[in-house]
Amino acid sequence: MKLFGSSGTRGVVGESLTPEFVLRVAKAAGTVWTADRVAIARDTRTTGEMFVNAASAGLASVGVDVDDLGVVPTPAAVRYCEDQSIPGVVITASHNPPEFNGVKLVGEDGVELSVEELERIEDHILTEEFDVAAWDEVGSCRSVDTANDDYREELLASVDREAIADANLTVALDTGHGAGSLVTPDFLRELGCEVRTVNAQPDGHFPGRESEPVPENLRDLERLVRATDADIGIAHDGDADRAVFVDEHGESISGEASLAALAAAFLEPGDATVSAVNVSQRLVDVCEEVGADLELTPIGATNLITRIRELWRAGTNVPVAGEGNGGVFFPNYRLVRDGAYIAAKFLELVAERPASEVVAPYQDYYNVRINIEYDTEAELTAMLNAADEYAAAADATPNTTDGYRLDYGDAWVLVRPSGTEPKVRIYAEGRSEQRATELAEDAEDALRAAIADL
């Protein structure tokens, strides 16, 4: 696909993402969909209202009515679409910086569109084939202000509320000024938690921290955990489809470790889980211990969703899936990454023992990531050719699902081009920092040598 990536389309506002483009996306989606009504939602970004207006105009111009949900977490928008059996347009750039925005398309089943469905819409965008309505048949727009409340009520009914309440947990919460600010604080309080917040005011400038909930952006949350003697810290990204954690000592928990802990808790023998090709050895080890199958896909939510659906059709149970960035699926609940639900499922584990103990079996792994920037397509081609040669010469069987992943038993290395930036990324993981660093730097040397030879 030229326009849509693994989780919609995103770009810097005014450069690669403009109101004119969003208008065309909405017109194309409204043309392809058979629905008379479509939901539109957004996160807190300052440009969100502008793009909602553009999308609403595009849908109305092809005769489609619009339900404007306002600022809601992506999982709340998805729930609304499923409940109403209508497709949706979500204006969000998720974890990207504030100058970005994006468009995510959701089907009437409440699931992000498949690659095939996105390609149909993309064809209409590129050819500008739209079913423009006559002046007296254009769509109308109405505001819906119940989506967040309905979403929160469903969350409360879907988790072990009694177990969490009985544990009398103190939770430090960092919603990162995103859409989760409107739901997660109240949700956790209704679960019986004592909640302390930071960066919890909706603000599309993200003044307190950058939207991506990675450890270097969570220093305020770590301090809040220590200052309030909290049992756990929880952080979201801009559209609240991720949850990452800080333990009771104020130490950040890697997304790979929390995913492994959740998988260990909810997988049973004969089940399957799905993750991306940069999956941590932590999850590999859990699957081996439990007796569950691990299915790997290219990186990105759309790819995981596609594989989960394929496994369902084959009669396979997939209770948990996801990537090590805090984006976890609980498909038997809903086929969407849901930050508030992820947080509650982790709280169920913390209700039984401290967070540090929950993830202790998955801490002795070390990760290294190296980015190599390129300026020309020739440099990219040279590095990918070098990666191919490097993989062929390695004493490991490569997985080429998305780039080149080499598994050595005790460690692995992955080389793949970024889908959003002019970079080739090298990931490595091992039981020792030295082992992971050696693998990453060895691959880096091979790629940099290829550039130097140009």
Side-chain angles (χ1 to χ4, degrees):
M1 293 184 292
K2 296 182 178 65
L3 303 178
F4 293 102
S6 59
S7 187
T9 182
R10 298 176 193 165
V12 175
V13 175
E15 295 179 11
S16 54
L17 194 80
T18 65
E20 293 81 5
F21 173 72
V22 173
L23 179 82
R24 289 166 58 207
V25 171
K27 291 173 71 173
T31 296
V32 170
W33 288 331
T34 57
D36 296 326
R37 188 161 55 99
V38 169
I40 293 183
R42 64 184 177 94
D43 65 19
T44 58
R45 292 167 193 274
T46 59
T47 56
E49 186 173 2
M50 174 179 71
F51 287 124
V52 163
N53 291 337
S56 297
L59 289 165
S61 73
V62 294
V64 177
D65 293 335
V66 171
D67 287 0
D68 184 351
L69 308 186
V71 176
V72 303
T74 290
V78 165
R79 190 216 67 83
Y80 184 87
C81 290
E82 181 184 19
D83 181 70
Q84 297 292 309
S85 297
I86 61 174
V89 177
V90 183
I91 304 298
T92 178
S94 187
H95 63 278
N96 288 92
E99 65 269 23
F100 282 76
N101 216 323
V103 183
K104 184 178 295 187
L105 301 178
V106 178
E108 62 184 18
D109 57 354
V111 179
E112 290 181 39
L113 297 189
S114 67
V115 171
E116 292 75 19
E117 292 170 308
L118 289 173
E119 286 176 341
R120 288 181 60 206
I121 291 172
E122 186 171 284
D123 286 343
H124 281 266
I125 297 171
L126 296 173
T127 59
E128 298 194 0
E129 294 179 4
F130 310 125
D131 292 340
V132 178
W135 69 271
D136 56 350
E137 295 179 351
V138 299
S140 61
C141 181
R142 66 168 185 151
S143 294
V144 176
D145 59 8
T146 58
N148 280 333
D149 289 341
D150 293 342
Y151 165 59
R152 192 178 70 254
E153 288 300 318
E154 184 176 276
L155 285 169
L156 289 167
S158 302
V159 300
D160 194 341
R161 188 174 181 176
E162 183 176 348
I164 295 170
D166 287 347
N168 295 315
L169 299 173
T170 298
V171 176
L173 175 65
D174 182 348
T175 54
H177 302 291
S181 304
L182 301 177
V183 175
T184 304
D186 288 340
F187 169 55
L188 294 178
R189 291 186 179 104
E190 289 179 273
L191 286 177
C193 299
E194 186 75 23
V195 181
R196 299 289 182 264
T197 62
V198 65
N199 302 321
Q201 304 78 24
D203 189 332
H205 295 93
F206 305 142
R209 69 161 170 89
E210 293 184 23
S211 181
E212 187 168 16
V214 292
E216 56 265 33
N217 293 337
L218 300 182
R219 303 309 179 208
D220 287 345
L221 180 61
E222 293 171 351
R223 285 190 287 268
L224 182 62
V225 168
R226 291 190 288 267
T228 61
D229 197 25
D231 295 287
I232 190 170
I234 300 170
H236 290 322
D237 59 340
D239 67 333
D241 68 349
R242 298 188 193 183
V244 300
F245 305 100
V246 172
D247 72 17
E248 73 277 12
H249 305 300
E251 300 293 330
S252 288
I253 297 172
S254 72
E256 290 89 354
S258 57
L259 172 59
L262 289 165
F266 295 106
L267 283 175
E268 295 183 358
D271 287 344
T273 187
V274 179
S275 192
V277 71
N278 62 341
V279 64
S280 169
Q281 187 68 29
R282 300 165 174 85
L283 187 58
V284 176
D285 292 347
V286 167
C287 290
E288 290 180 353
E289 292 168 7
V290 171
D293 293 329
L294 173 61
E295 300 280 340
L296 299 185
T297 74
I299 291 172
T302 300
N303 298 310
L304 271 68
I305 289 169
T306 298
R307 186 60 184 142
I308 291 168
R309 282 174 148 172
E310 291 171 350
L311 290 166
W312 277 351
R313 288 193 289 269
T316 303
N317 185 39
V318 187
V320 62
E323 297 176 278
N325 57 11
V328 183
F329 292 89
F330 290 87
N332 296 335
Y333 166 65
R334 177 166 288 115
L335 194 48
V336 65
R337 298 179 300 192
D338 188 329
Y341 188 82
I342 298 164
K345 299 306 283 184
F346 200 77
L347 287 179
E348 290 177 9
L349 306 184
V350 176
E352 297 179 355
R353 60 193 190 280
S356 61
E357 293 183 17
V358 170
V359 298
Y362 318 108
Q363 293 291 68
D364 293 333
Y365 298 78
Y366 296 86
N367 295 86
V368 176
R369 187 168 87 169
I370 298 173
N371 294 323
I372 305 178
E373 297 185 5
Y374 60 86
D375 296 318
T376 67
E377 286 299 314
E379 290 179 342
L380 172 61
T381 299
M383 284 194 285
L384 295 182
N385 287 339
D388 184 68
E389 294 173 3
Y390 181 83
D395 186 22
T397 301
N399 181 320
T400 56
T401 301
D402 184 2
Y404 299 86
R405 178 183 168 115
L406 303 172
D407 283 287
Y408 293 92
D410 66 323
W412 59 267
V413 63
L414 168 68
V415 179
R416 66 178 291 273
S418 168
T420 58
E421 300 176 274
K423 298 177 181 178
V424 173
R425 303 193 191 279
I426 301 170
Y427 307 81
E429 182 181 69
R431 285 284 192 171
S432 73
E433 188 173 9
Q434 179 180 354
R435 176 67 164 146
T437 300
E438 287 175 350
L439 285 176
E441 290 181 348
D442 193 40
E444 179 189 18
D445 290 344
L447 270 60
R448 291 197 183 279
I451 297 176
D453 289 340
L454 289 177

